[in-house]
């Protein structure tokens, strides 16, 4: 059995480290001293809005761009000046980037031919790689005879065929329609775990990042704002930027005094430092519920209520004008115009000054 189909190969799995990485394009500083450690066999997503520098960071790891300053290491070794073709990396891009005039097997075998692997051996490994992505039957088709999802699977097979140390994925799902995107997303995660390859995945889609990552680095304006497991980022965002970018929140006015906020009569903790004053608090839908009689709460009127299969999501207008989103079981049937009273769980909230 070759390395590619073996279970997690801890000896081969590689760490990737970025130390104080700075990248300028002319006078435009795009990365402002990025520090990142990706563990051996770990799946880390770079998540952030368009233009925050995710692709640039990935291209630096690949060796497709030169660092302005800082160091990139693989397994501790400084690779900053090693060219792309000697970094032992597999890459998949947003566009399928297959050779249109080559069939699926020829596309997949390409990287091995470049490395002068003997033809029989190269074809055998390419077929194994195609089996791995579920396309063993498609080896003689041409790219135009495949769906977008299948073309990305070929791109994945091609990236993995050389058993690279690191897999870099740059928005590989964004050209696909919603259903295929979810299928291939789960497939990528399954493959990554099966092969045990260290993977860095760039996306601006928070749901995608939450679904498949071991850890997510939320980036903003060329910096990492927070890095953590999906649960940590969702449950304990460390800043307004992360709270706003990851998951859904309602913005509720509150005032902070001595590090505590009062929301609808309930006193809650505040994440991080917040001097006394008026703020918006980020409140998750599942932190809000209907108040029982006698509980502190706020009155409101339902504006919309949407059936979402296993739960309902309703938007409630409260007297200060805020629209508050709650999530509740489908057994609670709310309709537009219903009068309700909301209360909030006593969990620490992220706050940001009212603009
Ligand atoms: P997106 O999700 O839109 O791809 P991103 O977070 O991946 O965004 P980058 O592609 O890394 O962002 O771009 C970050 C910034 O660097 C942008 O302002 C972009 O215009 C700039 N930039 C990227 N590549 C170059 C280049 N080759 N020359 C000049 N500026 C560049």
């Amino acid at each position: 059995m070759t390395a590619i189909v073996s279970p997690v190969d801890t000896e081969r799995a590689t760490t990737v480290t970025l130390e104080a990485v700075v990248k300028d394009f002319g006078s435009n500083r795009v990365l402002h001293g990025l520090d990142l450690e990706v563990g051996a066999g770990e799946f880390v997503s770079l998540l952030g809005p368009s233009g925050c520098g995710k692709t640039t960071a990935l291209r630096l790891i690949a060796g497709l761009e030169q660092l302005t300053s800082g160091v990139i290491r693989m397994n501790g070794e400084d690779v900053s000046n090693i060219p792309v073709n000697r970094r032992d990396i597999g890459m998949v891009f947003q566009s399928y980037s297959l050779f249109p005039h080559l069939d699926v097997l020829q596309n997949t075998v390409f990287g091995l031919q470049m490395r002068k692997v003997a033809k029989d051996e190269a074809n055998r490994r390419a077929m194994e790689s195609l089996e791995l992505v579920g396309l063993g039957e498609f080896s003689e088709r041409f790219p135009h005879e495949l769906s977008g999802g299948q073309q990305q699977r070929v791109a994945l097979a091609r990236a993995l065929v050389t058993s690279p140390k690191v897999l870099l994925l740059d928005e590989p799902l964004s050209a696909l329609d919603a259903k295929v995107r979810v299928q291939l997303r789960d497939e990528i995660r399954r493959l990554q775990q099966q092969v045990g390859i260290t993977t860095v995945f760039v996306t601006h889609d928070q749901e995608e990042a939450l679904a498949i990552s071991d850890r997510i680095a939320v980036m903003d304006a060329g910096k990492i704002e927070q890095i953590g497991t999906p649960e940590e980022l969702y449950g304990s965002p460390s800043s307004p930027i992360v709270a706003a970018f990851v998951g859904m929140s309602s913005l509720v006015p509150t005032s902070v005094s001595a590090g505590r906020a009062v929301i609808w009569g309930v006193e809650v903790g505040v994440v991080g430092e917040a001097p006394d004053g008026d703020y918006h608090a980020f409140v998750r839908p599942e932190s809000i519920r209907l108040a029982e009689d006698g509980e502190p709460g706020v009155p409101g009127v339902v504006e919309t209520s949407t059936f979402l299969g296993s739960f309902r999501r309703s938007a409630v207008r409260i007297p200060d004008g805020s629209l508050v989103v709650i999530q509740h079981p489908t057994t609670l049937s709310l309709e537009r115009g219903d009068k309700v009273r909301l209360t909030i769980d006593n969990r620490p909230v992220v706050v940001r000054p009212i603009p």
Side-chain angles (χ1 to χ4, degrees):
M1 200 180 266
T2 61
I4 198 159
V5 286
S6 65
V8 178
D9 184 347
T10 40
E11 276 189 16
R12 229 190 113 69
T14 303
T15 58
V16 177
T17 314
L18 276 64
E19 294 170 8
V21 163
V22 171
K23 177 64 184 171
D24 296 337
F25 288 110
S27 60
N28 183 17
R29 179 147 296 182
V30 170
L31 295 179
H32 296 257
L34 219 57
D35 292 308
L36 175 67
E37 273 199 65
V38 184
E42 196 180 20
F43 191 119
V44 169
S45 293
L46 305 180
L47 172 70
S50 183
C52 71
K54 309 178 292 291
T55 295
T56 302
L58 204 73
R59 289 174 62 81
L60 285 166
I61 297 172
L64 293 167
E65 298 283 356
Q66 277 288 310
L67 294 165
T68 301
S69 64
V71 179
I72 296 181
R73 296 183 191 279
M74 288 184 190
N75 269 350
E77 183 200 346
D78 184 348
V79 297
S80 311
N81 295 313
I82 293 185
V84 53
N85 56 347
R86 290 187 31 232
R87 285 204 192 178
D88 205 357
I89 271 171
M91 273 196 96
V92 178
F93 301 93
Q94 177 178 344
S95 57
Y96 312 134
S97 59
L98 301 179
F99 299 115
H101 57 289
L102 298 183
D103 71 17
V104 163
L105 181 64
Q106 290 165 331
N107 263 286
T108 309
V109 88
F110 185 76
L112 296 173
Q113 286 170 339
M114 297 299 284
R115 283 161 205 234
K116 311 260 185 284
V117 176
K119 191 171 177 205
D120 286 355
E121 163 77 359
N123 281 348
R124 189 185 58 75
R125 284 174 61 183
M127 281 310 295
E128 265 181 12
S129 198
L130 287 169
E131 299 285 350
L132 194 70
V133 299
L135 286 182
E137 310 280 298
F138 291 73
S139 61
E140 291 176 10
R141 290 221 193 159
F142 284 84
H144 72 270
E145 296 172 314
L146 300 176
S147 70
Q150 288 167 337
Q151 290 189 51
Q152 274 309 55
R153 281 170 196 261
V154 177
L156 204 55
R158 189 179 60 178
L160 290 171
V161 76
T162 56
S163 300
K165 287 183 181 154
V166 177
L167 181 62
L168 302 177
L169 306 168
D170 190 359
E171 308 241 14
L173 306 173
S174 54
L176 304 172
D177 69 42
K179 199 165 171 199
V180 179
R181 197 152 69 209
V182 170
Q183 281 170 354
L184 193 54
R185 167 185 103 185
D186 296 344
E187 182 77 4
I188 286 176
R189 179 56 161 159
R190 181 189 66 75
L191 273 175
Q192 185 269 338
Q193 287 181 318
Q194 185 178 344
V195 179
I197 188 168
T198 308
T199 301
V200 184
F201 177 81
V202 161
T203 181
H204 60 266
D205 181 331
Q206 47 119 354
E207 189 189 311
E208 213 163 87
L210 289 172
I212 57 174
S213 314
D214 290 314
R215 286 188 305 150
I216 302 169
V218 179
M219 290 182 61
D220 184 66
K223 297 188 308 303
I224 292 181
E225 201 46 42
Q226 184 177 1
I227 182 160
T229 63
E231 291 81 2
E232 283 165 354
L233 288 180
Y234 186 86
S236 313
S238 64
S239 72
I241 286 172
V242 179
F245 203 78
V246 180
M248 175 185 274
S249 299
S250 303
L251 282 177
V252 177
T254 186
S255 55
V256 170
S257 172
R260 309 281 296 170
V262 177
I263 300 176
W264 312 331
V266 179
E267 192 180 300
V268 297
V270 168
V271 175
E273 300 275 310
D276 291 2
D278 292 332
Y279 291 86
H280 276 136
F282 289 84
V283 183
R284 299 284 191 213
E286 60 274 21
S287 295
I288 306 171
R289 57 187 168 79
L290 297 191
E292 309 272 339
D293 286 346
E295 260 189 314
V298 67
V301 179
V302 175
E303 289 209 348
T304 58
S305 185
T306 312
F307 176 70
L308 290 166
S310 55
F311 63 93
R312 289 190 83 91
R313 186 174 289 150
S314 301
V316 177
R317 185 77 63 185
I318 60 174
D320 65 23
S322 312
L323 196 61
V324 172
V325 177
I326 62 172
Q327 244 159 248
H328 52 89
T330 52
T331 46
L332 171 63
S333 150
L334 293 178
E335 288 182 15
R336 181 175 170 80
D338 282 352
K339 292 192 166 61
V340 293
R341 221 165 55 83
L342 304 179
T343 192
I344 181 170
D345 290 342
N346 179 9
R347 298 187 210 170
V349 290
V350 172
V351 296
R352 76 171 176 213
I354 293 178

